[in-house]
């Protein structure tokens, strides 16, 4: 089975930095994804980590430690439009190459002026 | 970039009727399609995985006779909610992945309301 945990809600101030953590316990780990989802819309891809370390992409960075089963998404220079849910998702690979993407419950981020 | 088109975006149906949702990959061959369901303020729950030309693999607790999945071509997968009931009201989202496209591209989602 799998278990993916992330905080339910977070608040932050416009212009600040926020870190959203995700811990996971899965078998057949083959990468971790972060998605942003606004209410009523489909998720949009933010980042992907398969090796340990930090991946930076503009205002967003994502970190992975496979030995600790831990990842975080770092958002810098927060903007009001960053208010959304952030979903941590783990890809599991099974025998025969069958794979699936399993999502955590998501973290609702509210950015205030 | 990879694009997945999902239709309809919203549908309201009467209890007991069936609803079909289509998911098309527009610019790549989707060897694998994933169907998710999302209830308000909850995350995406994987319902089933379908590979082109073969039967779908359903997650535990998902009724395969109620949620019919067809993936007859490399660009089209359909989810049919049969004999829909109000508790089936939810946001259904597809995701596609191909051999040449290793990422997961999501459709825009379908808001189903059963009255």
């Amino acid at each position: 089975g799998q278990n993916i945990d992330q905080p339910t809600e977070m608040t932050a101030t416009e212009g600040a930095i926020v870190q959203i953590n995700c811990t996971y316990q899965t078998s057949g780990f083959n990468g971790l994804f972060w998605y942003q989802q606004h209410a009523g819309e489909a998720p949009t891809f933010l980042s992907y980590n398969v090796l340990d370390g930090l991946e930076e992409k503009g205002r967003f960075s994502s970190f992975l430690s496979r030995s600790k089963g831990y990842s975080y998404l770092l958002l810098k220079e927060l903007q009001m439009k960053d208010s959304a849910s952030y979903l941590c998702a783990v890809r599991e690979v099974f025998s025969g190459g069958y794979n699936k993407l399993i999502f955590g419950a998501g973290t609702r981020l509210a950015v205030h002026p | 970039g990879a694009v997945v088109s999902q239709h309809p975006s919203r549908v309201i149906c009467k209890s007991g009727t069936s609803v079909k949702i289509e998911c098309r990959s527009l610019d790549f061959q989707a060897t694998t399609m994933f169907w998710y369901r999302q209830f308000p303020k909850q995350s995406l729950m994987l319902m089933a995985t379908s590979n082109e030309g073969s039967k779908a693999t359903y997650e535990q607790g998902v009724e395969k006779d109620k949620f019919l999945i067809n993936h007859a071509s490399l660009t089209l997968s359909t989810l049919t909610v049969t004999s829909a009931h109000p508790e089936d009201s939810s946001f259904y989202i597809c995701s596609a992945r191909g051999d040449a496209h290793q990422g997961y591209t999501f459709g825009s989602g379908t808001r189903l309301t059963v009255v």
Side-chain angles (χ1 to χ4, degrees), chain A residues 80-94:
Chain A
M80 298 297 291
K81 67 178 183 180
D82 296 329
S83 294
S85 286
Y86 291 86
L87 310 176
C88 172
V90 172
R91 177 163 62 192
E92 287 191 295
V93 177
F94 302 87

Side-chain angles (χ1 to χ4, degrees), chain B residues 59-104:
Chain B
E59 295 298 301
Q60 191 172 6
V62 178
E63 300 175 59
K64 62 180 181 181
D65 294 330
K66 180 170 181 63
F67 299 99
L68 302 179
I69 292 172
N70 183 281
H71 191 170
S73 78
L74 285 171
T75 60
L76 174 64
S77 177
T78 61
L79 167 67
T80 301
V81 183
T82 63
S83 186
H85 289 94
E87 57 264 32
D88 297 324
S89 298
S90 187
F91 191 51
Y92 292 86
I93 310 176
C94 66
S95 174
R97 187 170 184 265
D99 292 336
H101 168 63
Q102 294 296 305
Y104 297 83

